[in-house]
Amino acid sequence: MQLVVARVGRAHGIKGEVTVEVRTDEPELRLGPGAVLLTDPASAGPLTIETGRVHSGRLLLRFAGVRDRNGAEALRNTLLISEVDPDETPEDPDEYYDHQLMDLDVVTTDGAEVGRITEISHLPSQDLFVVERPDGTEVMIPFVEEIVVEIDLEEQRAVIDPPPGLIDDRAEVVSTRDEESASAGDEESGSAGAGDETTGAGA
């Protein structure tokens, strides 16, 4: 299975380093030196990670064969893709890869249909499910133990116990897609799909 694990941002310095938008909770495994990654567009890769370091809270990578700023800038907005065993699971039993959660049916504890998970939003404070409702609108569901009471991968469903106002008709319907596109700025762009991130309730 091919999963997006990062997106290349701006060039950093003059020696070929790039900033990356990490889309995995296992950067040491997916984005470590020696890792060979496919790319989107495919013509940009495959790319082999030569070095990696954290600078001012951001991961910087240098790829084999990329030695100057021009080469690094040419990779801007390239998606980095890792080959992952589809049966692989995170070590923590309370965590899940995004691809395991995508398209799960969301129902309440009393069996009422809420919708289908179409996106996982990873915020600094918590993870959110973006759930498409039957009428086409979207609602954000915090992935915390108090609300998401069960993830049943065999039945392909997530059971929630929502507080008043979270999913009723008075709840504000928002989408991270709009927020991301508004705050993207010069460096960032909208998500092209779920990455190989792990998500855990209360994480």
Side-chain angles (χ1 to χ4, degrees):
M1 176 181 291
Q2 295 182 351
L3 295 172
V4 175
V5 294
R7 186 176 64 82
V8 178
R10 293 174 176 170
H12 179 84
I14 61 174
K15 296 182 178 181
E17 284 187 312
V18 297
T19 63
V20 294
E21 172 195 328
V22 177
R23 296 187 183 177
T24 172
D25 283 349
E26 299 175 315
E28 298 86 358
L29 174 65
R30 310 295 181 195
L31 300 170
V36 179
L37 301 169
L38 302 177
T39 60
D40 182 7
S43 58
L47 294 172
T48 300
I49 297 177
E50 192 170 86
T51 63
R53 65 188 179 97
V54 176
H55 175 74
S56 299
R58 303 212 66 172
L59 179 62
L60 303 179
L61 297 180
R62 179 184 289 115
F63 301 105
V66 179
R67 296 299 180 208
D68 56 32
R69 187 177 183 87
N70 289 338
E73 192 64 31
L75 295 173
R76 191 168 179 174
N77 293 325
T78 297
L79 297 178
L80 304 178
I81 302 169
S82 179
E83 288 279 0
V84 179
D85 184 340
D87 296 325
E88 182 180 337
T89 58
E91 293 183 0
D92 189 333
D94 292 326
E95 291 187 342
Y96 303 86
Y97 287 131
D98 282 9
H99 72 269
Q100 294 176 297
L101 301 170
M102 291 291 290
D103 292 324
L104 292 187
D105 293 323
V106 180
V107 299
T108 63
T109 51
D110 59 7
E113 178 186 7
V114 178
R116 177 179 61 89
I117 297 175
T118 58
E119 183 181 335
I120 313 295
S121 178
H122 298 274
L123 303 181
S125 59
Q126 64 187 9
D127 297 317
L128 298 173
F129 294 159
V130 180
V131 178
E132 182 178 325
R133 308 183 76 175
D135 63 2
T137 60
E138 292 180 336
V139 63
M140 306 289 281
I141 306 293
F143 188 22
V144 294
E145 293 178 354
E146 295 80 4
I147 297 176
V148 181
V149 298
E150 181 184 4
I151 297 291
D152 189 335
L153 296 181
E154 289 189 5
E155 295 294 329
Q156 287 290 287
R157 69 178 185 178
V159 181
I160 66 171
D161 185 14
L166 181 63
I167 62 173
D168 62 28
D169 292 337
R170 296 185 303 278
E172 181 180 1
V173 179
V174 296
S175 170
T176 54
R177 296 186 184 93
D178 296 333
E179 295 172 357
E180 288 174 354
S181 62
S183 62
D186 184 42
E187 176 178 350
E188 305 297 342
S189 67
S191 173
D196 178 24
E197 306 204 9
T198 55
T199 305

